[in-house]
Amino acid sequence: MAKLSDISNNMKLHMEKYKEQTLKIEKSSLKRAAVLVPLFEHEGELFVLLTKRTDKVGSHQGDVCFPGGKQDDTDDNIVATALREAWEEIGLKPSQVEVLGAIFPTVSYTQLLVTPVIGFIKDVQEVKLNINTDEVDDIFACRLDFFLDSSSHKYVQSKITPGLHLHLFKFNSQPQPDTGCDFLAKVFNPKNNRHLIYGLTAHMAVLAALVCLDKESGYNIAGGNTPLTQDSYMGFQIKFLNHRILAVTKQKSTTLNYKL
């Protein structure tokens, strides 16, 4: 596993490099939302926690996602939004999370500007998750570098945005023996062993892996022969967001030629 200090440094470099573009995008009129990308260490490897939404929620029913939601007026900032949502959805206390920073935001098809906040769960042995069954149907974990591996990855054409290629990952969970840890028992022994991770969540997971691990992916940019790296991915993402925000604010439906 990469050292936490190295991951934190990689986060700082990312935020500094794309600070100007981030501030420009955050000035848009889009409503804000945040997700927490919860990382934790297990047996020397870096894992990320994900959830599967129920069919009761108002949007993204049945999708795999990170804990998150819209920013409330009572939230001090976008980081507070991510921490609050994680507490409300899975019972992860803000005090149990070391916030490493935020990576570049993106826009959902519901026209929310979503900021992924990277957090490290400090002591999983002390964490007892309390799942909100109205919102969360399942919870599971996979290695963060899974999202850089070509073996379970493919691109699919967006059904909503013509011209946009999306990541899709097929994840098969391998049940783990009982270690007496409530947290590990929940995340490594989900209700369902197979999950599809795609769309916005897959995009944020890929970017988180590229930034935190400072590695290139094992697959190429969609339609190209160049491995996906943080810089090449961000080049597409900045163009996409500027185009998307313009389309949303002008209420226009346009075809995008950006392959994410």
Side-chain angles (χ1 to χ4, degrees):
M1 170 186 155
K3 293 181 180 179
L4 191 59
S5 58
D6 292 337
I7 296 171
S8 181
N9 185 57
N10 292 339
M11 288 287 305
K12 290 178 182 177
L13 291 174
H14 171 81
M15 290 186 288
E16 290 171 2
K17 186 170 185 176
Y18 299 104
K19 180 179 180 180
E20 183 178 339
Q21 292 93 336
T22 300
L23 290 174
K24 178 182 176 181
I25 288 169
E26 288 178 346
K27 289 179 181 178
S28 72
S29 59
L30 297 180
K31 293 183 178 180
R32 302 290 303 277
V35 300
L36 182 68
V37 182
L39 308 178
F40 66 93
E41 185 272 337
H42 178 62
E43 296 184 346
E45 300 291 345
L46 190 64
F47 285 79
V48 61
L49 182 155
L50 297 109
T51 70
K52 182 176 183 291
R53 292 168 69 84
T54 68
D55 293 330
K56 304 175 186 176
V57 292
S59 61
H60 308 288
Q61 297 93 338
D63 286 355
V64 169
C65 63
F66 294 113
K70 297 177 184 177
Q71 186 173 32
D72 284 352
D73 293 338
T74 55
D75 295 332
D76 290 337
N77 49 46
I78 206 66
V79 171
T81 300
L83 294 174
R84 174 183 55 76
E85 288 286 347
W87 164 246
E88 292 175 356
E89 291 182 16
I90 62 173
L92 183 63
K93 298 177 183 178
S95 61
Q96 295 171 323
V97 179
E98 180 178 344
V99 175
L100 303 180
I103 55 177
F104 199 69
T106 189
V107 177
S108 71
Y109 75 80
T110 55
Q111 301 179 6
L112 291 172
L113 184 63
V114 184
T115 298
V117 175
I118 310 296
F120 184 79
I121 302 174
K122 292 181 280 191
D123 188 356
V124 296
Q125 298 294 329
E126 300 299 322
V127 176
K128 292 188 181 298
L129 298 177
N130 182 23
I131 310 302
N132 180 345
T133 55
D134 286 332
E135 296 188 39
V136 177
D137 177 64
D138 206 359
I139 186 169
F140 66 99
C142 61
R143 284 173 47 161
L144 184 61
D145 61 7
F146 168 80
F147 294 103
L148 302 181
D149 188 353
S150 62
S151 61
S152 299
H153 170 271
K154 71 175 183 179
Y155 287 106
V156 293
Q157 187 79 25
S158 171
K159 295 179 180 179
I160 298 173
T161 307
L164 181 64
H165 289 70
L166 305 174
H167 299 286
L168 184 147
F169 295 89
K170 293 182 179 180
F171 177 70
N172 296 322
S173 179
Q174 301 296 324
Q176 300 289 318
D178 186 6
T179 62
C181 174
D182 180 78
F183 175 87
L184 295 178
K186 282 188 171 70
V187 301
F188 285 137
N189 297 280
K191 289 167 52 179
N192 302 298
N193 291 331
R194 296 182 179 181
H195 292 283
L196 289 179
I197 309 165
Y198 56 90
L200 193 70
T201 298
H203 157 68
M204 292 187 289
V206 169
L207 184 56
L210 290 169
V211 173
C212 293
L213 302 177
D214 192 27
K215 294 180 180 180
E216 66 181 34
S217 72
Y219 45 87
N220 293 335
I221 295 172
N225 298 314
T226 306
L228 191 69
T229 65
Q230 181 184 166
D231 287 342
S232 64
Y233 199 37
M234 284 299 302
F236 284 119
Q237 181 65 2
I238 291 168
K239 291 178 183 178
F240 166 69
L241 277 188
N242 285 329
H243 194 148
R244 184 69 179 273
I245 289 172
L246 179 63
V248 170
T249 54
K250 298 294 184 181
Q251 294 297 308
K252 293 181 179 180
S253 177
T254 56
T255 297
L256 300 174
N257 294 313
Y258 303 118
K259 301 172 182 179
L260 302 180

